Short mmCIF file of all heavy atoms in Angstrom, two decimals:
data_model
loop_
_atom_site.label_atom_id
_atom_site.label_comp_id
_atom_site.label_asym_id
_atom_site.label_seq_id
_atom_site.Cartn_x
_atom_site.Cartn_y
_atom_site.Cartn_z
N MET A 105 301.14 55.44 140.77
CA MET A 105 301.17 55.78 139.43
C MET A 105 302.79 55.66 139.08
O MET A 105 303.60 56.11 139.82
CB MET A 105 300.84 57.17 139.13
CG MET A 105 300.76 57.54 137.66
SD MET A 105 300.11 59.12 137.33
CE MET A 105 299.04 59.63 138.48
N SER A 106 303.09 54.97 137.96
CA SER A 106 304.53 54.71 137.70
C SER A 106 305.15 55.90 137.06
O SER A 106 304.43 56.88 136.65
CB SER A 106 304.68 53.54 136.69
OG SER A 106 304.15 53.87 135.48
N THR A 107 306.41 55.97 137.00
CA THR A 107 307.17 57.10 136.56
C THR A 107 306.92 57.27 135.13
O THR A 107 306.79 58.53 134.64
CB THR A 107 308.73 56.79 136.74
OG1 THR A 107 308.85 56.55 138.07
CG2 THR A 107 309.48 57.95 136.27
N ASP A 108 306.75 56.28 134.36
CA ASP A 108 306.44 56.43 132.88
C ASP A 108 305.20 57.09 132.52
O ASP A 108 305.10 58.00 131.72
CB ASP A 108 306.42 55.05 132.21
CG ASP A 108 307.85 54.47 132.19
OD1 ASP A 108 308.94 55.15 132.37
OD2 ASP A 108 307.88 53.06 132.10
N VAL A 109 304.20 56.83 133.34
CA VAL A 109 302.80 57.39 133.17
C VAL A 109 302.91 58.81 133.59
O VAL A 109 302.38 59.79 132.80
CB VAL A 109 301.83 56.68 134.02
CG1 VAL A 109 300.43 57.42 133.89
CG2 VAL A 109 301.68 55.25 133.49
N THR A 110 303.58 59.14 134.62
CA THR A 110 303.75 60.63 135.04
C THR A 110 304.49 61.46 134.02
O THR A 110 304.09 62.57 133.58
CB THR A 110 304.50 60.70 136.32
OG1 THR A 110 303.85 59.91 137.29
CG2 THR A 110 304.49 62.12 136.88
N VAL A 111 305.56 60.86 133.46
CA VAL A 111 306.28 61.64 132.44
C VAL A 111 305.53 61.81 131.21
O VAL A 111 305.37 62.95 130.63
CB VAL A 111 307.61 60.86 132.11
CG1 VAL A 111 308.25 61.39 130.84
CG2 VAL A 111 308.52 60.79 133.30
N ILE A 112 304.70 60.82 130.80
CA ILE A 112 303.77 60.96 129.56
C ILE A 112 302.68 61.98 129.78
O ILE A 112 302.42 62.82 128.99
CB ILE A 112 303.27 59.54 129.17
CG1 ILE A 112 304.40 58.77 128.71
CG2 ILE A 112 302.17 59.71 128.18
CD1 ILE A 112 303.92 57.27 128.47
N LEU A 113 302.19 61.96 131.06
CA LEU A 113 301.18 62.93 131.33
C LEU A 113 301.70 64.36 131.34
O LEU A 113 300.99 65.32 130.86
CB LEU A 113 300.44 62.63 132.68
CG LEU A 113 299.54 61.46 132.68
CD1 LEU A 113 299.00 61.08 134.07
CD2 LEU A 113 298.34 61.62 131.70
N LEU A 114 302.89 64.58 131.91
CA LEU A 114 303.47 65.93 131.88
C LEU A 114 303.77 66.33 130.46
O LEU A 114 303.58 67.50 130.19
CB LEU A 114 304.62 65.95 132.79
CG LEU A 114 304.48 65.97 134.31
CD1 LEU A 114 305.74 65.68 135.12
CD2 LEU A 114 303.75 67.30 134.75
N LEU A 115 304.27 65.46 129.70
CA LEU A 115 304.50 65.89 128.22
C LEU A 115 303.31 66.19 127.55
O LEU A 115 303.21 67.07 126.64
CB LEU A 115 305.36 64.76 127.57
CG LEU A 115 306.81 64.63 127.86
CD1 LEU A 115 307.46 63.40 127.26
CD2 LEU A 115 307.58 65.93 127.73
N ALA A 116 302.17 65.46 127.87
CA ALA A 116 300.87 65.77 127.23
C ALA A 116 300.43 67.09 127.71
O ALA A 116 299.75 67.94 126.81
CB ALA A 116 299.86 64.67 127.45
N LEU A 117 300.64 67.31 128.93
CA LEU A 117 300.28 68.77 129.43
C LEU A 117 300.93 69.78 128.87
O LEU A 117 300.48 70.89 128.46
CB LEU A 117 300.37 68.80 130.93
CG LEU A 117 300.13 70.15 131.67
CD1 LEU A 117 298.65 70.49 131.44
CD2 LEU A 117 300.46 69.97 133.10
N ALA A 118 302.24 69.54 128.63
CA ALA A 118 303.07 70.57 127.88
C ALA A 118 302.68 70.84 126.49
O ALA A 118 302.66 71.92 126.08
CB ALA A 118 304.57 70.17 127.99
N GLY A 119 302.35 69.71 125.81
CA GLY A 119 301.74 69.93 124.35
C GLY A 119 300.46 70.65 124.40
O GLY A 119 300.30 71.44 123.43
N PHE A 120 299.59 70.39 125.33
CA PHE A 120 298.28 71.05 125.39
C PHE A 120 298.52 72.56 125.66
O PHE A 120 297.98 73.49 125.04
CB PHE A 120 297.46 70.41 126.47
CG PHE A 120 296.24 71.02 126.69
CD1 PHE A 120 295.19 70.84 125.78
CD2 PHE A 120 295.89 71.80 127.77
CE1 PHE A 120 294.00 71.38 125.91
CE2 PHE A 120 294.66 72.30 127.89
CZ PHE A 120 293.63 72.15 127.01
N LEU A 121 299.54 72.88 126.57
CA LEU A 121 299.67 74.26 126.85
C LEU A 121 300.43 74.98 125.68
O LEU A 121 300.10 76.18 125.36
CB LEU A 121 300.65 74.35 128.09
CG LEU A 121 299.98 73.96 129.39
CD1 LEU A 121 300.93 73.87 130.48
CD2 LEU A 121 298.82 74.96 129.85
N ILE A 122 301.28 74.24 124.98
CA ILE A 122 301.88 75.01 123.76
C ILE A 122 300.88 75.18 122.68
O ILE A 122 300.86 76.29 122.15
CB ILE A 122 302.99 73.97 123.21
CG1 ILE A 122 304.29 74.14 124.09
CG2 ILE A 122 303.39 74.41 121.76
CD1 ILE A 122 304.91 75.38 124.13
N GLY A 123 299.95 74.29 122.58
CA GLY A 123 298.77 74.53 121.78
C GLY A 123 297.99 75.74 122.10
O GLY A 123 297.60 76.59 121.22
N GLY A 124 297.75 75.85 123.30
CA GLY A 124 296.92 77.05 123.71
C GLY A 124 297.79 78.32 123.59
O GLY A 124 297.27 79.39 123.23
N ALA A 125 299.05 78.32 123.81
CA ALA A 125 299.93 79.54 123.68
C ALA A 125 299.86 79.89 122.20
O ALA A 125 299.73 80.98 121.86
CB ALA A 125 301.31 79.20 124.21
N TYR A 126 299.90 78.93 121.30
CA TYR A 126 299.96 79.19 119.87
C TYR A 126 298.67 79.84 119.48
O TYR A 126 298.65 80.70 118.63
CB TYR A 126 300.34 77.94 119.08
CG TYR A 126 300.31 78.17 117.60
CD1 TYR A 126 301.39 78.68 116.99
CD2 TYR A 126 299.23 77.75 116.86
CE1 TYR A 126 301.37 78.98 115.67
CE2 TYR A 126 299.21 77.90 115.49
CZ TYR A 126 300.32 78.47 114.81
OH TYR A 126 300.33 78.71 113.53
N SER A 127 297.60 79.23 119.92
CA SER A 127 296.23 79.76 119.38
C SER A 127 295.81 81.12 120.05
O SER A 127 295.01 81.81 119.52
CB SER A 127 295.18 78.72 119.75
OG SER A 127 294.94 78.57 121.22
N THR A 128 296.34 81.51 121.12
CA THR A 128 296.14 82.75 121.80
C THR A 128 297.16 83.83 121.51
O THR A 128 296.95 84.80 122.10
CB THR A 128 295.98 82.51 123.30
OG1 THR A 128 297.15 82.13 123.85
CG2 THR A 128 294.82 81.70 123.71
N TRP A 129 298.10 83.54 120.66
CA TRP A 129 299.18 84.48 120.47
C TRP A 129 298.70 85.85 119.85
O TRP A 129 298.98 86.86 120.35
CB TRP A 129 300.20 83.95 119.55
CG TRP A 129 301.42 84.85 119.29
CD1 TRP A 129 301.61 85.42 118.10
CD2 TRP A 129 302.38 85.24 120.17
NE1 TRP A 129 302.88 86.32 118.23
CE2 TRP A 129 303.23 86.20 119.48
CE3 TRP A 129 302.59 85.04 121.52
CZ2 TRP A 129 304.32 86.78 120.11
CZ3 TRP A 129 303.80 85.73 122.20
CH2 TRP A 129 304.56 86.53 121.36
N LYS A 130 297.77 85.71 118.94
CA LYS A 130 297.35 86.96 118.24
C LYS A 130 296.22 87.76 119.06
O LYS A 130 296.16 89.06 118.90
CB LYS A 130 296.64 86.67 116.80
CG LYS A 130 297.59 86.21 115.86
CD LYS A 130 297.14 86.03 114.49
CE LYS A 130 298.10 85.65 113.42
NZ LYS A 130 297.56 85.49 112.13
N THR A 131 295.60 87.16 119.98
CA THR A 131 294.58 87.83 120.74
C THR A 131 295.00 88.29 122.04
O THR A 131 294.54 89.39 122.55
CB THR A 131 293.27 86.84 120.87
OG1 THR A 131 293.72 85.79 121.55
CG2 THR A 131 292.66 86.54 119.50
N SER A 132 295.76 87.47 122.69
CA SER A 132 296.22 87.90 124.12
C SER A 132 297.67 87.46 124.25
O SER A 132 297.98 86.27 124.78
CB SER A 132 295.29 87.27 125.12
OG SER A 132 295.73 87.51 126.36
N ARG A 133 298.63 88.28 124.08
CA ARG A 133 300.02 88.00 124.24
C ARG A 133 300.51 87.63 125.57
O ARG A 133 301.18 86.69 125.87
CB ARG A 133 300.90 89.12 123.60
CG ARG A 133 300.62 89.29 122.06
CD ARG A 133 301.87 89.12 121.30
NE ARG A 133 301.50 89.08 119.96
CZ ARG A 133 302.20 89.63 119.00
NH1 ARG A 133 303.38 90.25 119.21
NH2 ARG A 133 301.78 89.52 117.71
N PRO A 134 300.00 88.46 126.61
CA PRO A 134 300.45 88.04 127.99
C PRO A 134 299.92 86.60 128.38
O PRO A 134 300.65 85.90 128.99
CB PRO A 134 299.86 89.15 128.88
CG PRO A 134 299.60 90.28 127.99
CD PRO A 134 299.29 89.80 126.70
N LEU A 135 298.77 86.27 128.01
CA LEU A 135 298.19 84.95 128.31
C LEU A 135 299.06 83.90 127.60
O LEU A 135 299.30 82.83 128.16
CB LEU A 135 296.73 84.91 128.05
CG LEU A 135 296.15 83.36 128.23
CD1 LEU A 135 296.15 83.03 129.63
CD2 LEU A 135 294.69 83.45 127.71
N SER A 136 299.30 84.24 126.38
CA SER A 136 300.09 83.28 125.57
C SER A 136 301.50 83.04 126.23
O SER A 136 301.95 81.88 126.23
CB SER A 136 300.20 83.81 124.08
OG SER A 136 300.90 82.85 123.36
N ILE A 137 302.10 84.15 126.64
CA ILE A 137 303.44 83.94 127.17
C ILE A 137 303.32 83.22 128.58
O ILE A 137 304.23 82.27 128.77
CB ILE A 137 304.07 85.29 127.41
CG1 ILE A 137 304.37 85.96 126.12
CG2 ILE A 137 305.28 85.27 128.30
CD1 ILE A 137 304.78 87.43 126.20
N ALA A 138 302.31 83.42 129.34
CA ALA A 138 302.11 82.67 130.51
C ALA A 138 301.93 81.21 130.29
O ALA A 138 302.50 80.28 130.99
CB ALA A 138 300.93 83.25 131.28
N LEU A 139 301.10 80.82 129.23
CA LEU A 139 300.92 79.41 128.88
C LEU A 139 302.23 78.87 128.35
O LEU A 139 302.54 77.67 128.70
CB LEU A 139 299.84 79.31 127.72
CG LEU A 139 298.45 79.64 128.20
CD1 LEU A 139 297.56 79.68 127.00
CD2 LEU A 139 297.94 78.53 129.18
N ALA A 140 303.00 79.57 127.60
CA ALA A 140 304.40 79.06 127.11
C ALA A 140 305.22 78.73 128.33
O ALA A 140 305.92 77.71 128.33
CB ALA A 140 304.92 80.04 126.20
N VAL A 141 305.28 79.55 129.29
CA VAL A 141 306.18 79.46 130.40
C VAL A 141 305.74 78.11 131.25
O VAL A 141 306.48 77.31 131.64
CB VAL A 141 306.16 80.69 131.44
CG1 VAL A 141 306.73 80.41 132.70
CG2 VAL A 141 306.85 81.82 130.69
N CYS A 142 304.37 78.06 131.39
CA CYS A 142 303.79 76.75 132.07
C CYS A 142 304.20 75.56 131.19
O CYS A 142 304.51 74.51 131.89
CB CYS A 142 302.33 77.02 132.17
SG CYS A 142 301.87 78.19 133.52
N ALA A 143 304.12 75.55 129.92
CA ALA A 143 304.52 74.38 129.10
C ALA A 143 305.94 74.09 129.37
O ALA A 143 306.32 72.97 129.34
CB ALA A 143 304.19 74.86 127.69
N VAL A 144 306.82 75.07 129.32
CA VAL A 144 308.31 74.89 129.59
C VAL A 144 308.59 74.27 130.93
O VAL A 144 309.35 73.30 131.05
CB VAL A 144 309.12 76.09 129.37
CG1 VAL A 144 310.55 76.04 129.92
CG2 VAL A 144 309.09 76.61 127.96
N LEU A 145 307.80 74.65 132.02
CA LEU A 145 307.89 74.10 133.29
C LEU A 145 307.48 72.60 133.20
O LEU A 145 308.01 71.70 134.02
CB LEU A 145 307.17 74.93 134.24
CG LEU A 145 307.76 76.30 134.56
CD1 LEU A 145 306.83 77.05 135.50
CD2 LEU A 145 309.13 76.06 135.29
N ALA A 146 306.32 72.43 132.61
CA ALA A 146 305.74 70.90 132.52
C ALA A 146 306.73 70.09 131.78
O ALA A 146 307.04 69.01 132.25
CB ALA A 146 304.37 70.95 131.88
N ALA A 147 307.38 70.57 130.77
CA ALA A 147 308.25 69.82 130.03
C ALA A 147 309.61 69.48 130.85
O ALA A 147 310.12 68.50 130.79
CB ALA A 147 308.69 70.50 128.68
N ALA A 148 310.03 70.50 131.44
CA ALA A 148 311.18 70.43 132.45
C ALA A 148 310.94 69.42 133.49
O ALA A 148 311.80 68.62 133.89
CB ALA A 148 311.63 71.76 132.96
N GLY A 149 309.66 69.52 134.06
CA GLY A 149 309.38 68.64 135.09
C GLY A 149 309.33 67.16 134.63
O GLY A 149 309.69 66.20 135.34
N ALA A 150 308.83 66.92 133.34
CA ALA A 150 308.80 65.63 132.80
C ALA A 150 310.17 65.08 132.60
O ALA A 150 310.46 63.91 132.99
CB ALA A 150 308.09 65.62 131.50
N ILE A 151 311.02 65.95 132.09
CA ILE A 151 312.51 65.44 131.88
C ILE A 151 313.13 65.20 133.25
O ILE A 151 313.76 64.17 133.40
CB ILE A 151 313.20 66.62 131.12
CG1 ILE A 151 312.70 66.62 129.68
CG2 ILE A 151 314.75 66.31 131.12
CD1 ILE A 151 313.17 67.74 128.96
N ALA A 152 312.92 66.06 134.29
CA ALA A 152 313.61 65.81 135.55
C ALA A 152 313.05 64.61 136.24
O ALA A 152 313.71 63.90 136.83
CB ALA A 152 313.35 67.12 136.38
N TRP A 153 311.68 64.38 136.11
CA TRP A 153 310.98 63.26 136.73
C TRP A 153 311.49 61.90 136.07
O TRP A 153 311.64 60.92 136.71
CB TRP A 153 309.48 63.36 136.59
CG TRP A 153 308.75 62.48 137.49
CD1 TRP A 153 308.68 61.14 137.52
CD2 TRP A 153 307.81 62.91 138.45
NE1 TRP A 153 307.76 60.77 138.53
CE2 TRP A 153 307.38 61.80 139.17
CE3 TRP A 153 307.58 64.19 139.10
CZ2 TRP A 153 306.44 61.78 140.21
CZ3 TRP A 153 306.55 64.17 140.13
CH2 TRP A 153 306.15 62.97 140.65
N GLY A 154 311.88 61.91 134.71
CA GLY A 154 312.18 60.78 134.07
C GLY A 154 313.64 60.38 134.46
O GLY A 154 313.93 59.29 134.46
N PHE A 155 314.52 61.42 134.70
CA PHE A 155 315.90 61.10 134.89
C PHE A 155 316.10 60.92 136.43
O PHE A 155 317.03 60.13 136.79
CB PHE A 155 316.69 62.20 134.57
CG PHE A 155 317.02 62.27 132.97
CD1 PHE A 155 316.63 63.27 132.36
CD2 PHE A 155 317.61 61.24 132.43
CE1 PHE A 155 316.77 63.26 130.94
CE2 PHE A 155 317.80 61.16 131.08
CZ PHE A 155 317.41 62.18 130.27
N PHE A 156 315.36 61.45 137.39
CA PHE A 156 315.64 61.36 138.78
C PHE A 156 314.70 60.52 139.40
O PHE A 156 313.86 60.25 139.82
CB PHE A 156 315.78 62.70 139.42
CG PHE A 156 316.84 63.49 138.84
CD1 PHE A 156 316.56 64.62 138.03
CD2 PHE A 156 318.21 63.19 138.88
CE1 PHE A 156 317.53 65.39 137.45
CE2 PHE A 156 319.18 63.92 138.46
CZ PHE A 156 318.85 65.08 137.65
#
C-alpha cells in the first residue's frame, strides 16, 4: 500500500471518528471524548506518515 493511500485512509478514519464524537456528545460524553481522542491520534498519524 502506498503512502498516499495510507494517509487518505487515516484521514477518512479521523473524519469518521469525529462524526461519531459529534453525534454521541449529548448522549454519552465519555464515549464522545474517547472518539475525539482517537480521531486526533488518527489525524496525527496521517500527518506523521505523510511527512516521514
